[in-house]
Amino acid sequence: QSVLTQPPSASGTPGQRVTISCSGSSSNIGSNYVYWYQQLPGTAPKLLVYRSNERPSGVPDRFSGSKSGTSASLAISGLRSEDEANYYCAAWDDSLSGPIFGGGTTLTVL
Amino acid sequence: QVQLVESGGGVVQPGGSLRLSCAASGFTFSRYGIHWVRQAPGKGLEWVAVISYDGSTKYYADSVKGRFTISRDNSKNTLYLQMNSLRAEDTAVYYCAKDAGVAHIYYYFDYWGQGTLVTVSS
């Protein structure tokens, strides 16, 4: 059971906006940055969002991150078939003294 | 371009040992901390260990502390993970991942290797 809680699945149709949530506590999301990683089927994870709401160069602005209190969200607008992937949130946990991941959300584009 | 290439995975019996390697290129290896992150089959991601840019600082997840040792050879641009006393629950794809910070560990990963599979089974 992960310290960061994500819904196991999410779905949307092409062009739609989808949001994936990540719930934590005061020792992780509440006091530290949140990161999001995208893992396409059969590939390594890729950094999608860092420091809660910043995008690495090359990541489309369709992807955006936000954080409020002990929760964070990843929003994907203009959904495309190539967005089908597993998405993981991550954060530093002060109590565990290490980085932690959410359990992952499988996004399906219908 | 940044490349991280893991090797050394395979099948090992419980209680056995294995050493993983990660060959880096496309960036100044000696300026960055590097992590190992693993993923059990069909499961999520779990951080394993990190080593600082100069090898002076190492941190481990509680699940591997005392059994795994991370090290690096900056002259060879290579990271290692020595895994001893392996257990069935160590079965996973092991990724090396570059830390995003220069000479400081930020604990987020801007580049990942393709991973190497370790299977612990009798």
Side-chain angles (χ1 to χ4, degrees):
Chain A
Q1 190 151 345
S2 302
V3 178
L4 301 181
T5 302
Q6 297 180 237
S9 64
S11 63
T13 57
Q16 257 190 336
R17 184 177 186 270
V18 170
T19 300
I20 297 172
S21 63
C22 177
S23 177
S25 68
S26 57
S27 66
N28 41 69
I29 293 177
S31 52
N32 296 292
Y33 290 121
V34 178
Y35 304 88
W36 290 92
Y37 298 90
Q38 177 193 57
Q39 187 174 30
L40 298 171
T43 70
K46 168 191 170 185
L47 180 65
L48 211 55
V49 171
Y50 67 101
R51 293 178 183 166
S52 302
N53 57 14
E54 299 192 50
R55 281 184 308 276
S57 60
V59 173
D61 59 6
R62 302 187 297 107
F63 296 89
S64 62
S66 63
K67 187 185 99 164
S68 178
T70 59
S71 293
S73 293
L74 173 71
I76 309 171
S77 60
L79 201 60
R80 298 183 176 185
S81 58
E82 57 260 39
D83 297 333
E84 277 207 344
N86 288 321
Y87 292 86
Y88 294 91
C89 60
W92 176 266
D93 190 281
D94 296 331
S95 299
L96 298 174
S97 295
I100 55 172
F101 291 92
T105 298
T106 300
L107 175 64
T108 301
V109 181
L110 303 169
Chain B
Q1 72 283 19
V2 173
Q3 275 201 309
L4 298 165
V5 180
E6 301 93 336
S7 61
V11 180
V12 60
Q13 292 189 336
S17 299
L18 209 58
R19 188 177 88 152
L20 306 183
S21 299
C22 169
S25 61
F27 66 103
T28 306
F29 181 72
S30 61
R31 297 184 69 193
Y32 293 90
I34 309 289
H35 303 258
W36 287 101
V37 179
R38 68 184 180 183
Q39 186 171 35
K43 302 296 184 183
L45 301 167
E46 179 189 16
W47 174 77
V48 173
V50 64
I51 186 168
S52 61
Y53 69 101
D54 61 355
S56 63
T57 304
K58 305 172 186 180
Y59 296 109
Y60 300 90
D62 286 345
S63 58
V64 307
K65 202 173 294 183
R67 300 187 300 123
F68 290 11
T69 302
I70 190 171
S71 62
R72 65 190 295 161
D73 185 337
N74 284 348
S75 68
K76 296 181 178 179
N77 287 356
T78 302
L79 172 77
Y80 303 99
L81 184 68
Q82 178 66 43
M83 304 186 295
N84 298 331
S85 303
L86 282 162
R87 307 165 180 167
E89 54 264 36
D90 295 318
T91 294
V93 172
Y94 285 73
Y95 296 101
C96 61
K98 173 183 167 293
D99 192 272
V102 178
H104 179 83
I105 302 172
Y106 286 152
Y107 287 95
Y108 72 97
F109 324 105
D110 57 357
Y111 291 94
W112 299 63
Q114 86 290 347
T116 187
L117 176 61
V118 172
T119 303
V120 184
S121 174
S122 55

